Amino acid sequence: MDFYHLLPKIELHAHLNGSLSNSTLAELRELKYGKEVPSGTDDCFYKILNGESLTLEECFKKFQYAHDLTDRREALARATERVIEEFAKDSVIYLELRTTPKCTAQMTKREYLTTVLDVIRKSSENQRGIVVKLLPSIDRSKGVQEAMENVNLAIELSSSFPGLMVAFDLSGNPFGTTFSDFVPALQRAREHGFRLALHCGEFEDEQEVKEMFALGVDRIGHGTFIEGENLAFAQEHKIPFECCLTSNVKCKTVPSYEDHHVAKLLKLKHPVCVCTDDFGVFETSLSQELKICASTFSLTNTDMVEMQRNAIEYSFASEQEKKELRAKIEQFSETLSKEL
Ligand code: 6MZ
């Protein structure tokens, strides 16, 4: 097995419904539609295929495919289990999974959230060697009322699932929405102890990034268009960037791996972690993303171990959890140096 697969990894930016592999999609499709798959249910719709030329806005349509398959509790639980299993199989030792609570014809938002949380809780009881946290998401395209509903629900459920919901995510299709409308909901989340990992600077809007910084951002999702004064602010406050290379290249927000903004951040020695975003949609894995990053920017194995070590510090894990994660990386690092 190669170095990237064996390396104990930290995943800080992964959307549940974007992280359904081919085999998970097949399983969920059978669960919903049986062996006779109706027309119009084509996995290709969910993927961004090589050579496909899509805008970021068009990419968002892809998620409808997964949402149809995870619209009931059993399927959602199965999807969550599979996503955790597949990250664990890729030697991910710590996972922050995000998802937007949804109300469907078959389940309420509360049922959605408790289903995912129950699976996460069980996964830690099963001791699969992976620690999993949940970041409830606010989908910008769903509006302000839903945003507040999600925050209130998470606040209410947090005491039943202590330590599992650690931060809020703001994501979804931002076009046609105004960030300041979401500030009251995010502020309320923060007042109740949630950290904020926002999609920030994923598209070009300097003013919006300023407003996000004024509110307070604990980690920056993507940060593709953070430059000038905003970059200086992020540097001054050492706000980590979650960089998702293949996602950005496939959604065409960066022209190529070589031109990815992670290069600039690495040069500045700015806190950065490499993440998958939606490994199902973009057909990748965390191992693959790290390999691409290392080969594109000539990073050594030691650099990549260091990147994982640093990612622990950017995570929202508890101090005790961080200690245990650090020990796992050290153990790997010692084995590696003995082999050299
Ligand atoms: C912004 C994204 C995203 O919540 O249904 N999502 N939001 N930018 C991205 N970059 C490509 N990728 C995924 O997972 C799917 C949802 O995550 C958000 C979108 O709201 C998408 O519908 P959940 O589990």
Side-chain angles (χ1 to χ4, degrees), residues 39 78 110 125 138 141 173 180 184 188 255 277 285 299:
S39 60
R78 192 80 67 88
R110 176 188 301 269
E125 283 162 9
I138 290 172
S141 69
N173 185 350
S180 56
R188 183 163 160 71
D277 205 7
S285 66
L299 302 175

Side-chain angles (χ1 to χ4, degrees), residues 81-283:
E81 272 165 28
R82 294 293 174 262
V83 170
I84 295 173
E85 274 166 21
E86 288 184 22
F87 272 114
K89 244 190 243 159
D90 192 30
S91 313
V92 171
I93 55 169
Y94 178 82
L95 165 65
E96 287 181 10
L97 197 58
R98 9 183 125 196
T99 196
T100 316
K102 291 166 198 74
C103 165
T104 70
Q106 280 79 23
M107 68 185 155
T108 61
K109 273 192 180 187
R110 176 188 301 269
E111 286 171 331
Y112 185 103
L113 206 53
T114 54
T115 300
V116 175
L117 284 163
D118 276 333
V119 172
I120 292 179
R121 181 151 62 189
K122 272 192 211 118
S123 82
S124 59
E125 283 162 9
N126 290 349
Q127 301 260 328
R128 265 205 214 98
I130 179 167
V131 174
V132 186
K133 303 283 178 185
L134 183 71
L135 277 58
S137 300
I138 290 172
D139 179 345
R140 294 176 66 148
S141 69
K142 300 275 185 271
V144 181
Q145 196 187 324
E146 286 226 16
M148 197 53 103
E149 266 173 36
N150 296 359
V151 171
N152 288 338
L153 189 59
I155 292 170
E156 201 190 311
L157 291 177
S158 59
S159 57
S160 308
F161 296 91
L164 287 196
M165 280 187 285
V166 284
F168 251 86
D169 163 49
L170 177 77
S171 53
N173 185 350
F175 302 106
T177 69
T178 308
F179 170 69
S180 56
D181 293 344
F182 297 93
V183 169
L186 291 167
Q187 220 148 20
R188 183 163 160 71
R190 163 156 278 176
E191 281 160 16
H192 281 80
F194 289 90
R195 314 287 289 280
L196 299 181
L198 311 183
H199 282 60
C200 173
E202 191 182 12
F203 61 103
E204 207 166 354
D205 187 339
E206 218 181 314
Q207 182 54 31
E208 176 174 297
V209 174
K210 278 205 178 86
E211 288 170 24
M212 288 187 177
F213 286 172
L215 168 70
V217 179
D218 296 293
R219 279 201 323 251
I220 293 168
H222 301 290
T224 317
F225 294 94
I226 297 183
E227 281 158 6
E229 267 180 38
N230 284 336
L231 183 58
F233 183 95
Q235 280 184 273
E236 189 188 337
H237 296 273
K238 299 190 170 55
I239 312 173
F241 279 56
E242 302 154 358
C243 287
C244 312
L245 279 71
T246 297
S247 161
N248 296 159
V249 170
K250 287 200 169 184
C251 287
K252 307 231 178 313
T253 52
V254 305
S256 67
Y257 287 116
E258 290 74 21
D259 294 309
H260 196 279
H261 54 286
V262 73
K264 169 179 74 186
L265 298 169
L266 290 169
K267 216 182 246 167
L268 291 170
K269 299 206 181 310
H270 188 83
V272 74
C273 53
V274 168
C275 311
T276 53
D277 205 7
D278 302 288
F279 80 73
V281 174
F282 301 120
E283 295 193 277

